[in-house]
Amino acid sequence: MADDAAFGPQRLKRARFAVAAAFLVHGSVTGSFATRIPWIQDHAGVSAGQLGLALAFPAIGASLAMPLAGRVSHRFGARTALRGLLALWTLSLILPSLAPNPVTLCAALFVYGAASGMSDVAMNALGVETENRLGRSIMSSLHGMWSVGALLGSAGGTLAAHLGTDARLHHALAAVALTVLGLIACQGVLDLRSTPDEEPPPRFAVPPKAAVIIGAIGFCAVFAEGASLDWSAVYLRDELGTSAGLAAASTTAFALTMALARLVGDRVVDRFGAVRTVRCGGVLATAGGLLVVIAPTPALAMTGFGFIGLGVAVVVPVAFAAAARSGPRPAQAIAGVATITYTSGLIAPSAIGGVADATSLVVSFGLVTALAFGLILGAGVLRSARAEGASPDAATAAPKGHAVPGPKV
């Protein structure tokens, strides 16, 4: 990949802040959407099971579209690709709130997810290239900025829900503002271009056996994260009878704990080790799940969602680090773990909705609690992630075309 210019310290510093801003914008779209899911459910007239099915379509769209991002970057260059794909993602926020029925909601969420996946790949690829030129890990902080963006977006959504603002107006205004911010941020990222003889990135890497085992830990964490992010507001509203504003605030609480944990996660793992960190995180997430299931009041349930976020926040970066040290082909192992964790994000929303339709949302979060307990039991497989002087997030420098999916992590 060719450079646009010689990269001095100031240029690289600017590029780091620019790509961090892109992560923040990307996360803000997710937070803005998640807090208005109850409004979208009512507007489209869908049941809990139908909502669960619809919420699987973003992941389906993303998984199908992600390979295209590498080819877009290969064709147009990294900066132009990120600029266009990030704008596509921010503008797609408008679509779900416009859907009047289940079919159109699924279609809108498919497009929404496709835009998310392609911009995610372009964004992570630029983050990796910037990290390589800086010579130190920045990927954890970049994903932390994604969580900060999700927090800001969910805070705005909470306010909009509290004021009773129509989600169509809220999302239209948010989409325009975030599109402008994204275009400004993209001006500062590295303008990397493929050389004429460079092959397009591979579409898929078959996960090695070790990656499948390690990926199972990431699967549990991402399932708990996705379930909490997509269903916390609905849970508070339907099971505990809260107002729309307070229900949306549960998503904000979850995003807050995720952001804080990711911003300090590297230091925690360096101090206590990968296995102990994930095991303690599993204890927190399990306790949080139990609180959600038995909570008689909204405050306790929101505390439970916060504990889940705190417990699972650093699991995926540590899983990538362990995968990188699990065999002779670290890039292939990382890509394999990414595929497994993304599959978890694909099935979590629909699984929660399906269980809720058959039983209740309380039982659904009993499933989340059981998977969180799996982190305690399975943390030992991450023992290889502990290496002298190694950052747990260094391995997130995924191969081109296999960037780490967004928060989803």
Side-chain angles (χ1 to χ4, degrees), residues 196-226:
D197 59 343
E198 186 174 341
E199 291 292 328
R203 290 183 177 272
F204 182 74
V206 178
K209 290 182 180 179
V212 173
I213 298 173
I214 296 169
I217 298 298
F219 182 97
C220 293
V222 172
F223 191 101
E225 178 184 350

Side-chain angles (χ1 to χ4, degrees), residues 11-94:
R11 178 71 181 88
L12 288 172
K13 183 178 180 180
R14 180 190 174 201
R16 180 191 175 179
F17 284 122
V19 75
F23 270 80
L24 186 143
V25 168
H26 195 285
S28 296
V29 177
T30 301
S32 298
F33 167 72
T35 50
R36 305 312 304 272
I37 288 176
W39 190 98
I40 293 170
Q41 179 184 12
D42 290 343
H43 181 254
V46 298
S47 67
Q50 290 173 326
L51 178 61
L53 175 63
L55 289 174
F57 274 79
I60 295 172
S63 62
L64 293 176
M66 282 173 70
L68 300 177
R71 297 181 180 274
V72 172
S73 296
H74 181 80
R75 172 67 176 83
F76 297 103
R79 180 188 294 168
T80 300
L82 180 60
R83 184 186 293 126
L85 293 174
L86 190 60
L88 182 64
W89 163 235
T90 53
L91 291 173
S92 72
L93 174 62
I94 299 172

Side-chain angles (χ1 to χ4, degrees), residues 336-366:
V337 171
T339 301
I340 295 168
T341 55
Y342 208 80
T343 300
S344 180
L346 171 65
I347 70 172
S350 56
I352 293 297
V355 173
D357 248 11
T359 54
S360 70
L361 274 175
V362 174
V363 176
S364 294
F365 276 90

Side-chain angles (χ1 to χ4, degrees), residues 13 19 32 48 97 122 132 144 148 180 269 277 302 314 370:
K13 183 178 180 180
V19 75
S32 298
S97 61
N132 290 341
V148 171
V180 172
V269 174
T277 299
M302 290 172 70
V314 300

